[in-house]
Amino acid sequence: MSPDDVRAEYERLGFTLPPRPSCRESLDDFDLLAGEWEVDWSPFRTDRAPTFHQLMEVAENLGLSLRVLLSRLSAYGVRTGMVLPQRQTELDRELFRYEDMVQSISDELDEVWWFWLSPDDEIPFFLLVLAARDLGRRPRELAARLRSYGLRVSHDDLPPGLTQGAALRLLTADGLVMPGPKDPPMRLVQLVRIARCVDVPVQETARHLRDLGVHVGDLAATVRAALARVPLA
């Protein structure tokens, strides 16, 4: 297949190939667009952003910075779902640090805030509370920076009356992962366990968690659903 045939095939699939004078295709570009980094990953697309994990893994494998990767993908009409600011800050490097990523995420998958998300997803604020703890930052600072990339965050700051320390106690009280927007709502037993650990009424605990972006259902409906599963005498 000639280079012109290859270009025509990519264009038929919806990709916008950059003009030859401004971008010389390389072998890396073919690897990049193939997207075959993992068996369950599809190639990059023009209508749906890849996961952060896929972006980080590809950048790592090709030896590219995240900025260069996004720029190259955008040149081909690939949807990335985010735009990095022209001037990179230390916070940018901390938020999207992926050196030695494989080792770090194999130990604690849920400790990497972006691991399960795509730039098309709304980022639950509770993930930024946990990330802020690890980075020594304020959650609202992380939220503001991510919004500057065109990303969506569930909340701008901690709810009124809830300190960062209190939020961390709620999120880590029982050691289980908090359910995000796409997950089923938190089970009543987990909610009660958290409330007991932090010594806060269940209803108030539910409200705080909901304000942090945790998927907590309507408390009355949750209780009714739990009671319906109790065996009758």
Side-chain angles (χ1 to χ4, degrees):
M1 185 178 287
S2 71
D4 286 337
D5 290 335
V6 173
R7 293 179 65 87
E9 184 64 17
Y10 272 122
E11 288 169 353
R12 186 185 69 79
L13 294 172
F15 294 98
T16 303
L17 300 189
R20 284 192 179 88
S22 63
C23 179
R24 290 179 294 178
E25 291 83 3
S26 68
L27 292 177
D28 282 349
D29 288 321
F30 288 108
D31 290 339
L32 177 68
L33 294 173
E36 296 176 354
W37 303 103
E38 293 287 350
V39 175
D40 59 343
W41 282 355
S42 61
F44 291 116
R45 297 173 52 160
T46 59
D47 61 341
R48 186 177 66 199
T51 64
F52 286 113
H53 181 198
Q54 186 174 4
L55 289 171
M56 301 297 188
E57 184 80 357
V58 172
E60 178 87 350
N61 280 311
L62 292 181
L64 303 174
S65 68
L66 185 59
R67 179 186 304 280
V68 170
L69 173 64
L70 294 179
S71 176
R72 186 179 291 186
L73 288 174
S74 296
Y76 280 97
V78 173
R79 174 171 172 74
T80 62
M82 62 185 296
V83 178
L84 292 184
Q86 286 301 312
R87 185 172 183 177
Q88 188 181 42
T89 66
E90 182 58 32
L91 180 55
D92 296 322
R93 287 184 283 271
E94 291 173 350
L95 279 169
F96 295 103
R97 184 172 57 244
Y98 58 92
E99 294 85 352
D100 302 321
M101 181 190 68
V102 175
Q103 179 59 42
S104 65
I105 64 177
S106 65
D107 295 336
E108 296 179 280
L109 288 177
D110 299 304
E111 292 298 317
V112 183
W113 71 266
W114 43 258
F115 190 82
W116 302 112
L117 297 172
S118 157
D120 285 342
D121 295 326
E122 181 179 76
I123 301 168
F125 190 77
F126 74 85
L127 291 179
L128 301 187
V129 175
L130 298 173
R133 170 199 59 188
D134 299 334
L135 299 177
R137 301 274 187 164
R138 293 290 184 185
R140 65 171 177 266
E141 183 182 4
L142 306 190
R145 193 58 179 169
L146 291 176
R147 285 188 186 280
S148 74
Y149 307 151
L151 300 174
R152 294 179 297 124
V153 183
S154 66
H155 296 78
D156 291 321
D157 201 355
L158 294 164
L162 191 67
T163 66
Q164 188 169 347
L168 282 170
R169 285 193 292 276
L170 283 167
L171 296 173
T172 59
D174 69 346
L176 296 180
V177 178
M178 297 290 107
K182 294 183 178 180
D183 299 319
M186 177 179 285
R187 297 174 58 203
L188 180 61
V189 64
Q190 183 180 4
L191 179 61
V192 172
R193 189 163 54 238
I194 293 172
R196 286 179 174 173
C197 287
V198 298
D199 194 24
V200 172
V202 174
Q203 190 168 1
E204 186 178 344
T205 298
R207 186 180 74 252
H208 284 324
L209 289 173
R210 201 177 292 117
D211 289 342
L212 290 169
V214 179
H215 189 185
V216 179
D218 177 76
L219 189 55
T222 302
V223 171
R224 284 195 297 268
L227 290 175
R229 291 192 293 271
V230 177
L232 297 177

